[in-house]
């Protein structure tokens, strides 16, 4: 399977958003931050997404992934591969639910290694962009830090083992 290469561009369809996220994941070596409303539009439930994350963990010993979601139901119901990955790589893969929706923030985004990002312009639209613009990354990191203040473990993502 070929992995996409991260290149700055704009997109306006969900398939392009998914492809941009997969390229961003493939480019991550140290840190990957993912934030979305519920991850339904990202391809998180796909085999390709889980395989890209698993490959990242296996190939890059330093890689840490943090996923923040406003609504946990889609992940709990449709992303068993991601939940399995989170259990397997729990020391490097953190998943948290945001308990309070941010007032002024209304779009999903992802940042890799603090040098590249993928961002939608609104939760309701697939339109967005990928880039390595440091000013945008600084702004996204500020949003990220604010979101973390409202993050907690989500019980719906816990698996029962007998």
């Amino acid at each position: 399977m070929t992995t996409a290469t991260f290149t700055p561009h704009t997109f306006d369809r969900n398939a392009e958003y998914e492809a941009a996220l997969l390229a961003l994941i493939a480019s991550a070596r140290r840190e990957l931050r993912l934030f979305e409303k519920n991850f339904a539009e990202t391809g998180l439930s796909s085999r390709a997404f889980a395989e890209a994350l698993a490959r990242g963990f296996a190939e890059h010993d330093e890689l840490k992934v943090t996923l923040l979601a406003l609504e946990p139901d889609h992940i709990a119901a449709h992303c068993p591969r991601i939940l399995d990955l989170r259990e397997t790589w729990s020391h490097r893969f953190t998943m948290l639910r945001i308990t309070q929706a941010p007032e002024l923030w209304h779009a999903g985004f992802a940042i890799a290694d603090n040098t590249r990002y993928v961002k939608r312009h609104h939760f309701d639209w697939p339109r967005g962009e990928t880039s390595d613009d440091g000013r945008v990354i600084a702004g996204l990191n500020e949003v990220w830090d604010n979101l973390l203040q409202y993050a907690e473990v989500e019980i719906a993502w816990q698996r029962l083992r007998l």
Side-chain angles (χ1 to χ4, degrees):
M1 175 181 171
T2 13
T3 56
T5 302
F6 182 85
T7 55
H9 67 282
T10 59
F11 54 84
D12 58 8
R13 294 189 338 240
N14 279 340
E16 294 169 317
Y17 180 43
E18 291 177 26
L21 285 171
L22 286 173
L24 186 75
I25 292 166
S27 77
R29 302 291 178 264
R30 294 177 312 282
E31 182 181 33
L32 184 63
R33 295 174 169 187
L34 305 163
F35 167 67
E36 257 296 343
K37 182 177 181 180
N38 60 21
F39 285 89
E41 297 84 9
T42 64
L44 185 71
S45 62
S46 72
R47 179 181 305 273
F49 204 108
E51 287 175 352
L53 282 175
R55 191 170 31 260
F57 286 129
E59 293 176 0
H60 308 290
D61 292 338
E62 294 181 15
L63 182 62
K64 293 188 186 288
V65 175
T66 305
L67 179 148
L68 303 179
L70 288 170
E71 300 171 0
D73 295 344
H74 177 78
I75 294 172
H78 301 288
C79 303
R81 291 180 191 99
I82 296 302
L83 295 175
D84 288 345
L85 268 178
R86 197 269 325 269
E87 287 183 22
T88 302
W89 297 96
S90 61
H91 59 295
R92 293 171 46 198
F93 190 4
T94 304
M95 291 175 52
L96 301 168
R97 178 177 67 95
I98 304 302
T99 58
Q100 181 177 333
E103 282 182 37
L104 300 175
W105 194 256
H106 52 271
F109 65 89
I111 305 168
D113 300 334
N114 214 26
T115 58
R116 296 166 304 286
Y117 71 89
V118 173
K119 161 180 99 123
R120 290 199 298 159
H121 297 306
H122 197 278
F123 285 134
D124 296 333
W125 309 323
R127 178 174 292 155
E129 65 188 50
T130 70
S131 183
D132 55 5
D133 184 326
R135 293 172 302 184
V136 175
I137 292 168
L140 293 174
N141 279 328
E142 186 175 328
V143 172
W144 182 266
D145 292 342
N146 288 331
L147 290 169
L148 280 177
Q149 295 178 36
Y150 300 103
E152 67 180 27
V153 173
E154 172 54 43
I155 193 70
W157 295 337
Q158 305 306 313
R159 296 281 182 83
L160 294 177
R161 301 281 183 201
L162 300 178

